[in-house]
Amino acid sequence: MANLFLLDIDGALVDSHNLELDCYARAVNEVLGIEMDTDLSLYANLTDAGVLDELIAKHGITESRSIIHRKVENRYLALVRQAINERPETVSEVMGAKEFLMQVKELRDTHIAIATSSWASAAKLKLRAAGIDIGNVTFASSSDALSRTEIMALAAFRAKQDSGVVFERRIVFAHGDRSKHASQELGYDYVEVGSGSGNHTHIPNLAHYQAAFSQLALSA
């Protein structure tokens, strides 16, 4: 039996200082001509694709969904790339992320998967900008599914296919209530990375992963 570590990107592996929200809202405005409400608590599915679907429905946009998504994603990606080129310091590794990935890859009976609410193109761009290599790591994103729960479940399914093993436990390392609630819905263990509170395991960053392992009774 093995363990699966499901890792979010934003807030857990990469700190981008809200760069994405600014670029996303601008892309939506430039492509669709609408002002996006940036209060993220208003959206049922807080993923790149999920938010866009809600905006399409709210504003009664009738153009092909796939065409709209492609246009907004392409403009969003261009804006993120431009912002990173102009201010590379706005995207950085969360403390301990690279070391955590390196250490976990050395553990026996442990598999890693990325489960991100970003579109795959933007997620991989941010990872590259932060100098984080996820080559050969199982990956699921908002390019695959609309909800955080679906993305995490898909990442776990793909990890099982990739590894060929049955996972005894699935542990999510992420930031934010949406990830916590999705973990609870799926029955996965949850580790809050960053500021947080509540009755779950919490670490300030991945440099403190051994504290999480201790609380979850995992061997490091």
Side-chain angles (χ1 to χ4, degrees), residues 6-200:
L6 290 159
L7 309 177
D8 195 5
I9 293 176
D10 298 309
L13 295 177
V14 174
D15 185 352
S16 52
H17 306 279
N18 292 321
L19 167 73
E20 306 95 320
L21 181 57
D22 293 340
C23 292
Y24 191 98
R26 183 176 166 188
V28 167
N29 179 256
E30 291 182 7
V31 174
L32 301 178
I34 60 178
E35 293 291 336
M36 171 187 164
D37 195 324
T38 55
D39 180 357
L40 299 180
S41 67
L42 298 174
Y43 300 95
N45 288 319
L46 194 53
T47 66
D48 285 350
V51 169
L52 187 53
D53 271 2
E54 290 185 47
L55 292 171
I56 290 170
K58 178 181 178 180
H59 293 274
I61 299 170
T62 57
E63 186 178 1
S64 163
R65 175 186 181 274
S66 61
I67 292 175
I68 292 173
H69 274 252
R70 185 168 63 251
K71 286 180 177 179
V72 174
E73 180 181 353
N74 287 343
R75 184 57 186 146
Y76 170 58
L77 189 63
L79 290 169
V80 171
R81 186 178 290 112
Q82 178 184 342
I84 291 173
N85 288 338
E86 293 175 353
R87 304 186 307 279
E89 72 279 0
T90 59
V91 178
S92 60
E93 169 203 8
V94 171
M95 183 180 293
K98 294 177 189 175
E99 178 69 16
F100 173 82
L101 289 171
M102 184 176 67
Q103 293 294 330
V104 170
K105 286 179 180 179
E106 297 299 319
L107 297 177
R108 294 185 58 194
D109 300 324
T110 300
H111 194 84
I112 302 172
I114 298 291
T116 175
S117 298
S118 297
W119 280 310
S121 57
K124 292 177 181 179
L125 175 59
K126 288 181 288 185
L127 286 165
R128 287 195 299 271
I132 297 175
D133 179 15
I134 60 161
N136 300 319
V137 173
T138 301
F139 191 95
S141 71
S142 186
S143 299
D144 303 305
L146 289 178
S147 75
R148 183 76 185 136
T149 303
E150 291 171 322
I151 292 167
M152 288 165 53
L154 180 59
F157 174 75
R158 287 177 174 173
K160 182 179 178 181
Q161 288 186 312
D162 290 345
S163 65
V165 301
V166 176
F167 297 114
E168 182 178 18
R169 299 174 71 181
R170 299 163 182 83
I171 301 108
V172 177
F173 291 81
H175 177 75
D177 287 341
R178 300 297 180 103
S179 293
K180 179 180 70 174
H181 295 153
S183 301
Q184 292 172 338
E185 184 177 345
L186 292 166
Y188 297 172
D189 291 309
Y190 179 68
V191 178
E192 176 79 16
V193 181
S195 59
S197 60
N199 298 321
H200 54 263

